[in-house]
Amino acid sequence: MAGVELREIEIFLVLAEELHFGRTAERMRVTPARVSQTIKKQERAIGAELFKRTSRSVQLTPTGMVLRDGLAAGYRQIKEALSAAAAAGRGITGELNVAYSAAWCGTLVVAATDVFRARHPNCVVRIHESPLLDPIGPLRNGTHDVQLVELPIDEPDIVNGPVIFSEPRALVVPVGHPFAERDAVSLEDLSEAPMITPSGQPQYFLDHHYPRRTPKGRPIPRGPSTTAWQEVLALVGAGKGISPTCARAAQYYSRPDVVYVPFSDAPLVEYGLLWMATNSTPKVQAFTEILLEKADASAMGGTGQ
C-alpha cells in the first residue's frame, strides 16, 4: 500500500470495526463519500476487494481480514510513538496522583496506569483510594491530581471531565430481609426501611443517591451515618438499615450477611473524572485519554493496549 497515508489507514481500521460507512464517517469526521473513496483507493493499490458491500451490510473479505490483522499492531505502535513524542514535547514528567472511589473504578485505573507508564516513562503515577468522607478535599489540597468517582459533583473550582462508564444500581439488604428474596426492588421500596447514608458528601450528591423521598413523595427513613464503605456493609449486615449502591458491588464486596438486589427503575450510576480547574495539565489530559481508551476496550471485551 505504497503512498497510503496514516489517515487512510485509520479510516480502514475504523470501517473494519464499525462495518458501517456512516458511523465510520462520524468517528473520523469525514463524509461517507470520503470513506468510500479511501477504501476504493486501497483496493486498487492491493488489487483485491477489502469489503463486501450490499444494501444491507458491510463485511470484511478474507483479504480485508488479513490487512486488518496486519495493520492493527503496527498502527498501535505508531500511535504510541506519536503519543510519547508529543508527551515529551509537552513535558509529561514528574508525578501524577490518581484516585478512585469504588473497587471497580480501581481496576480500570490500574489498567490505564499500566498503559500510561508505558507511554510516558518519565512520569511516576501513584494510585490512591478516594475517601468516602470528604472526597473532594484531596483534590483541593493537592494530594490527588485526578479522581475517578461517582457523579454528580458540581463545584465551581473543579472540572468535570468525561463520564467514563455507567453502571446499574442495586440495594444492599440484610440476609433474611423480605427484599432479599426478590428478583428486583423499586425506588418506592426505599420507604420501607431506614437508609444508611455516608457523611461528608455534598448535599446535592446525597439528594441524588440517597434521596429523602421516593418518586411518589413517600418519606424515606434515615438510618445511621457512616464514613467508610465497610461500615455501611457492617451496619446493613447487622440489620440497621439498607443502602443503595452499584450492582457491581456484589462482585467485589460479597459477604454472608448481606444480599444485593437490583433495582428495576433506578437511573444508572455515572462515574467520571474530576480535577481542579487550576490543574488541567498535559499529564491529566493524557491520563484522561488513556482511561477512556481502556473503558471503551473493556466495554467491548478487549484489552485496548
Side-chain angles (χ1 to χ4, degrees):
M1 295 177 67
V4 174
E5 299 177 355
L6 182 61
R7 182 70 167 168
E8 294 172 338
I9 293 174
E10 290 178 324
I11 289 174
F12 167 78
L13 289 173
V14 172
L15 182 58
E17 177 186 330
E18 293 285 355
L19 296 176
H20 191 282
F21 280 80
R23 289 196 297 269
T24 299
E26 284 184 25
R27 280 181 57 179
M28 298 303 299
R29 298 184 180 179
V30 297
T31 64
R34 169 71 190 282
V35 176
S36 181
Q37 292 164 4
T38 297
I39 300 303
K40 288 178 181 178
K41 175 182 175 182
Q42 294 169 352
E43 290 175 332
R44 287 195 300 270
I46 290 173
E49 279 190 325
L50 299 175
F51 296 90
K52 285 288 186 184
R53 311 159 178 83
T54 70
S55 60
R56 294 185 176 181
S57 68
V58 177
Q59 298 293 328
L60 277 165
T61 65
T63 301
M65 292 179 186
V66 170
L67 183 61
R68 176 199 61 193
D69 295 343
L71 286 177
Y75 174 69
R76 187 163 59 244
Q77 290 177 338
I78 290 171
K79 279 191 68 177
E80 289 176 355
L82 291 172
S83 178
R90 297 196 304 265
I92 297 185
T93 59
E95 185 174 290
L96 181 69
N97 286 278
V98 182
Y100 64 89
S101 59
W104 43 96
C105 295
T107 300
L108 185 59
V109 165
V110 169
T113 297
D114 288 342
V115 177
F116 185 93
R117 286 170 174 157
R119 293 185 188 176
H120 311 298
N122 295 322
C123 184
V124 175
V125 182
R126 305 193 189 281
I127 301 174
H128 312 266
E129 186 173 2
S130 178
L132 187 63
L133 180 66
D134 189 23
I136 300 171
L139 280 178
R140 287 185 168 137
N141 66 26
T143 303
H144 300 162
D145 296 304
V146 61
Q147 294 185 171
L148 177 59
V149 299
E150 295 87 347
L151 301 177
I153 295 294
D154 185 13
E155 303 290 323
D157 56 340
I158 293 176
V159 174
N160 276 261
V163 173
I164 304 300
F165 64 95
S166 302
E167 291 285 333
R169 294 178 192 259
L171 188 67
V172 57
V173 304
V175 167
H177 191 282
F179 293 168
E181 303 300 322
R182 294 191 187 179
D183 293 330
V185 293
S186 75
L187 291 172
E188 289 302 316
D189 291 326
L190 294 177
S191 65
E192 301 298 324
M195 181 185 291
I196 297 168
T197 57
S199 300
Q201 301 280 359
Q203 188 58 50
Y204 59 80
F205 182 93
L206 295 174
D207 291 341
H208 183 82
H209 292 285
Y210 304 90
R212 291 187 173 275
R213 292 187 176 275
T214 70
K216 292 184 178 179
R218 299 165 66 190
I220 299 172
R222 312 317 274 181
S225 295
T226 67
T227 59
W229 173 242
Q230 292 298 337
E231 292 179 12
V232 173
L233 295 178
L235 288 167
V236 172
K240 302 300 183 183
I242 60 177
S243 181
T245 185
C246 171
R248 206 190 296 196
Q251 302 171 26
Y252 287 82
Y253 300 108
S254 176
R255 288 174 55 120
D257 55 354
V258 303
V259 175
Y260 295 86
V261 187
F263 275 101
S264 61
D265 57 355
L268 297 176
V269 183
E270 292 187 331
Y271 293 85
L273 280 178
L274 309 175
W275 60 86
M276 294 297 295
T278 55
N279 194 31
S280 295
T281 63
K283 287 184 286 190
V284 168
Q285 298 302 324
F287 188 85
T288 300
E289 292 170 8
I290 292 171
L291 194 66
L292 282 167
E293 289 177 18
K294 295 301 296 183
D296 289 343
S298 177
M300 294 186 294
T303 63
Q305 295 183 13

